[in-house]
Amino acid sequence: MSTQAGSEVKVFLRTRPTANFAENLIEYVDGQTVNVHQKKDSRKGVVNNQLNSWSFRLDGVLHDVSQEEVYARVGRGVVLGAVEGYNGTVMCFGQTGAGKTYTITGASGSYQERGIIPRAIQEVFHEVDQRSTHTFRVQLSYLEIYNESLVDLLASLRGCPGAGPGPGGMAVVEEACGGVSIRGLSLHLVHSEEEALNLLFEGEMNRIIGTHALNKNSSRSHCIFTVHIESHSRTLSEAKYVTSKLNLVDLAGSERLGKIEPEGQMLKEAMYINKSLSFLEQAILALADRRRDHIPFRQSKLTHALKDSLGGNCNTVLVANIYGEAAHVEETLSTLRFASRMKRVQTDPIINQHTDPVVRLLLLYGSSSASDCLPSSSPPPKADAFEDFKAEQGSEINRILKENKVVLLECRARLRELTEGVNTTKREIDSTSTTLRQWKDRQQSQGQFISADGVPVLDEAELSLVLRLRDLKTHYRQQYEELHCIKAEVNYCQHLVDQCRTRLLTEFESWYNESFLLPEEVQALLRSGGTIRPGLVPVDKALSLHFERRRYELLADSPSATIFYSAHNRTVKRVGQHTHICTPISPNIMTTDR
Ligand SMILES: Nc1ncnc2c1ncn2[C@@H]1O[C@H](COP(=O)(O)OP(=O)(O)OP(=O)(O)O)[C@@H](O)[C@H]1O
């Protein structure tokens, strides 16, 4: 089993931008050290021993930095680790309105300001596309913990297996391997970045948001977005496979009750939030103390659900969000205290390797009494089976692949034509400029014609050259712009074709294994929808890959932005909220990631 060198939880500080940043109270020293000064409390008497300066050492201070940099420093390592098979957690903690949701999810509907979750999704699928030696299975879940109740934020999606809490309701359950899972929480298989973003936006729509004195869209709950990754080697025909869980956690805001004076429902919410955060703090304190053998995870739903995600077998990163104004310096201090406790928690991540029961069965039977268990006839050659698959089970995705190839070929032909056109125009511009220059030189040597008013007079031939040059330049600019668009379109079509091809091959592999290589009794298990997963992807999901050409024309030069906006808009349309359908403000803004 591979392991990563044990270390501590990584902790970063991120500040919400404000014009009133309390520079005299909060001091950043070397990119890692934060000093906080607080005025002595006069109500406690003139003479008191209260300290008024604190120093905290963290892994990094993210002050005035872009979402992209935050992801690069905080998220990327954890995400890449998860693709390798290491569990990972990125968690945002801090007072209400300090920027936790902005950090983890990002500003709603803005590609540049998307947060860690959409970027992590993009990275996971990028890696999946790159790693052709493995097949990946990516599933998502989105859990909300509101007033000590577990809520499935993706329960509204009909037709997903495992959806619905079942008779016992939702609950955190301990697993034999020491981890935890949530009974009744729906898991959704996703095949592309766009499908995954659809689910994220769907879940966002369902979150419980309240208005708070410090944040008009305050999240009144804890949310855990989890990417479950499973990978099998394509080349090694062994039963081993690797799984990992990537948890992206947005905690509810920590707030002193006295400060905001909530009432009614808000008071109840605030009490639940504070209680669960204080249990979280107790669990962290216990985890940081190596002499402790009991960690009080079961005190709250939050700590129980995060049992296997806070240090231990997990790459854990905490972002401590602060709102650095003088009025909030106490919250800043308490956030930093929490962060420095968290930093003492040890991590010891290992790759989560398992053995596939189906393949193990196959290998086992194959080596002992193959004739009893393996299918009676020998499997057909793969090339023939592939042709059959394309004509039957895989016909829909194969049709989409063919259609996309046709569009790609058309786009390429158009690109060639335009490139030739641009080159021809450029040559004409050059030759017309040369002729004009020569004409001018000749005129200069003969002397310039001047009108009766003393204005230089253009010769008719020279005038026609000047006009021709102007027209050519206008035409060149138009062609160039068109060329730029068609290039982006070609890239995007190529991306879709690659995606369809990978999908066709992956589905064929699953179908071939299940149809010809598995023992008949195992095939029967798969058919009856037993505990063993079927490998085929439903056709309606495959259809979602269909190329919606017109809709993408606007967004042609940035495929990943296209995916982001398309998923966002689809969710907004489906849910029918009064949210804006978002399109990029201008192509320039879209392509330059802040
Ligand atoms: N780094 C940042 N850059 C730009 N805007 C930010 C940043 N951080 C926070 N904001 C803005 O501040 C406001 C509050 O942020 P956010 O909702 O993320 O806070 P929060 O900590 O999640 O609050 P709560 O605990 O109430 O849910 C939002 O309007 C958000 O867009």
Side-chain angles (χ1 to χ4, degrees):
M1 245 180 218
S2 301
T3 62
Q4 279 188 342
S7 62
E8 282 124 15
V9 167
K10 298 259 175 306
V11 176
F12 291 86
L13 176 81
R14 189 180 197 196
T15 52
R16 171 178 167 173
T18 165
N20 305 316
F21 184 76
E23 278 164 11
N24 51 339
L25 302 181
I26 303 169
E27 193 189 350
Y28 299 131
V29 181
D30 52 6
Q32 281 187 283
T33 306
V34 187
N35 295 332
V36 181
H37 313 285
Q38 197 189 23
K39 294 189 184 89
K40 283 183 182 170
D41 190 347
S42 56
R43 284 169 302 175
K44 292 182 182 167
V46 183
V47 182
N48 68 58
N49 295 326
Q50 196 183 332
L51 282 176
N52 65 355
S53 285
W54 293 264
S55 188
F56 301 89
R57 184 132 181 101
L58 311 166
D59 292 284
V61 172
L62 306 167
H63 182 55
D64 209 7
V65 298
S66 68
Q67 293 282 72
E68 189 180 11
E69 187 174 340
V70 170
Y71 175 73
R73 293 182 61 190
V74 171
R76 180 162 293 135
V78 181
V79 173
L80 293 178
V83 179
E84 295 288 339
Y86 295 99
N87 290 338
T89 297
V90 178
M91 184 161 77
C92 289
F93 176 91
Q95 78 171 104
T96 295
K100 300 178 292 299
T101 306
Y102 184 83
T103 300
I104 207 91
T105 313
S108 162
S110 162
Y111 181 66
Q112 285 95 353
E113 289 185 78
R114 70 202 193 284
I116 290 174
I117 301 181
R119 287 170 199 268
I121 288 174
Q122 191 176 11
E123 184 109 50
V124 165
F125 281 99
H126 176 73
E127 287 301 309
V128 166
D129 286 347
Q130 298 295 306
R131 298 178 190 218
S132 53
T133 52
H134 285 75
T135 56
F136 285 85
R137 187 175 157 79
V138 181
Q139 296 183 98
L140 302 181
S141 62
Y142 207 171
L143 174 71
E144 177 174 52
I145 304 175
Y146 176 68
N147 291 0
E148 277 303 275
S149 301
L150 301 175
V151 181
D152 183 351
L153 288 176
L154 300 178
S156 53
L157 296 172
R158 277 161 288 141
C160 61
M170 288 176 68
V172 184
V173 289
E174 306 264 343
E175 286 177 343
C177 57
V180 286
S181 63
I182 313 294
R183 187 185 65 212
L185 180 65
S186 57
L187 275 181
H188 301 259
L189 187 61
V190 283
H191 306 90
S192 65
E193 184 189 343
E194 186 167 355
E195 274 186 59
L197 287 174
N198 280 334
L199 296 190
L200 169 66
F201 296 138
E202 175 76 28
E204 286 302 304
M205 297 279 180
N206 297 331
R207 274 187 80 163
I208 292 166
I209 309 279
T211 299
H212 188 284
L214 286 171
N215 186 6
K216 69 178 165 42
N217 286 317
S218 180
S219 340
R220 310 310 298 146
S221 55
H222 310 297
C223 282
I224 308 177
F225 183 87
T226 309
V227 185
H228 307 253
I229 305 174
E230 182 181 316
S231 79
H232 295 251
S233 167
R234 277 188 208 271
T235 45
L236 304 172
S237 57
E238 58 176 23
K240 299 253 170 18
Y241 67 100
V242 166
T243 61
S244 63
K245 223 163 53 163
L246 172 64
N247 282 316
L248 304 164
V249 186
D250 185 5
L251 295 172
S254 54
E255 205 62 52
R256 282 175 300 140
L257 293 184
K259 189 172 179 185
I260 47 169
E261 292 174 2
E263 295 173 338
Q265 178 66 8
M266 228 178 118
L267 175 64
K268 191 172 158 203
E269 282 171 353
M271 279 165 55
Y272 272 114
I273 291 170
N274 281 6
K275 217 161 147 189
S276 59
L277 290 175
S278 110
F279 287 137
L280 177 65
E281 202 146 355
Q282 287 175 25
I284 299 295
L285 272 173
L287 280 167
D289 182 351
R290 277 178 233 169
R291 291 162 306 175
R292 292 277 293 267
D293 51 6
H294 172 71
I295 314 292
F297 284 120
R298 284 165 166 266
Q299 294 191 105
S300 74
K301 296 273 185 350
L302 176 69
T303 44
H304 203 188
L306 291 176
K307 183 182 170 194
D308 55 0
S309 311
L310 301 169
N313 178 21
C314 186
N315 285 313
T316 307
V317 180
L318 176 82
V319 181
N321 292 91
I322 64 159
Y323 196 179
E325 295 187 351
H328 307 301
V329 76
E330 262 201 54
E331 275 74 19
T332 296
L333 263 176
S334 102
T335 300
L336 282 164
R337 283 194 193 108
F338 179 87
S340 57
R341 279 176 200 140
M342 188 80 184
K343 194 162 161 42
R344 291 207 295 269
V345 175
Q346 292 291 310
T347 65
D348 205 359
I350 52 173
I351 287 192
N352 302 300
Q353 209 170 59
H354 312 269
T355 305
D356 189 326
V358 177
V359 181
R360 192 173 56 184
L361 201 68
L362 180 67
L363 293 174
L364 201 69
Y365 283 133
S367 62
S368 55
S369 53
S371 56
D372 295 343
C373 309
L374 286 174
S376 41
S377 55
S378 58
K382 270 199 168 175
D384 297 348
F386 189 48
E387 292 309 314
D388 292 345
F389 177 77
K390 283 194 291 185
E392 291 169 27
Q393 288 85 348
S395 64
E396 197 51 37
I397 185 76
N398 191 40
R399 183 185 65 74
I400 297 169
L401 173 63
K402 278 189 187 159
E403 270 181 29
N404 285 348
K405 276 188 187 164
V406 170
V407 180
L408 176 63
L409 286 178
E410 281 169 12
C411 286
R412 282 205 184 130
R414 180 91 191 95
L415 179 64
R416 260 196 311 276
E417 216 175 89
L418 264 174
T419 311
E420 276 166 25
V422 167
N423 288 340
T424 310
T425 313
K426 179 76 176 65
R427 276 195 298 274
E428 281 185 51
I429 289 176
D430 290 345
S431 90
T432 313
S433 303
T434 312
T435 317
L436 186 62
R437 211 174 28 254
Q438 286 166 350
W439 187 271
K440 278 186 174 159
D441 290 348
R442 206 161 42 240
Q443 290 291 91
Q444 234 162 21
S445 64
Q446 289 172 0
Q448 176 87 54
F449 287 108
I450 307 284
S451 72
D453 311 329
V455 179
V457 175
L458 273 187
D459 176 281
E460 203 175 307
E462 188 182 353
L463 181 64
S464 102
L465 278 173
V466 169
L467 292 177
R468 166 115 187 97
L469 193 59
R470 195 193 61 188
D471 290 347
L472 279 171
K473 283 185 177 170
T474 308
H475 185 51
Y476 180 76
R477 268 195 295 276
Q478 285 163 352
Q479 282 181 314
Y480 193 80
E481 260 174 42
E482 217 182 318
L483 184 75
H484 186 63
C485 292
I486 200 83
K487 266 187 190 164
E489 208 166 323
V490 165
N491 286 341
Y492 187 59
C493 291
Q494 183 67 58
H495 171 71
L496 284 182
V497 166
D498 293 345
Q499 221 177 12
C500 282
R501 189 178 288 127
T502 310
R503 183 97 148 258
L504 183 69
L505 289 173
T506 313
E507 289 183 17
F508 167 69
E509 286 292 333
S510 303
W511 171 80
Y512 187 85
N513 290 342
E514 286 164 15
S515 308
F516 303 112
L517 299 183
L518 298 182
E520 261 148 25
E521 68 238 53
V522 179
Q523 286 187 30
L525 266 178
L526 286 170
R527 274 197 295 274
S528 64
T531 48
I532 301 170
R533 66 184 165 74
L536 283 179
V537 179
V539 165
D540 63 332
K541 298 257 169 153
L543 275 169
S544 71
L545 272 176
H546 193 50
F547 184 42
E548 297 173 277
R549 188 176 176 181
R550 286 199 57 73
R551 207 149 59 79
Y552 291 116
E553 275 173 8
L554 234 184
L555 307 164
D557 63 354
S558 181
S560 49
T562 310
I563 288 167
F564 180 88
Y565 284 111
S566 145
H568 183 270
N569 290 342
R570 187 170 306 147
T571 310
V572 171
K573 268 193 226 157
R574 208 180 63 68
V575 177
Q577 299 229 347
H578 304 296
T579 316
H580 294 303
I581 300 286
C582 55
T583 46
I585 300 154
S586 86
N588 290 345
I589 295 175
M590 254 191 46
T591 47
T592 29
D593 204 349
R594 217 173 38 134

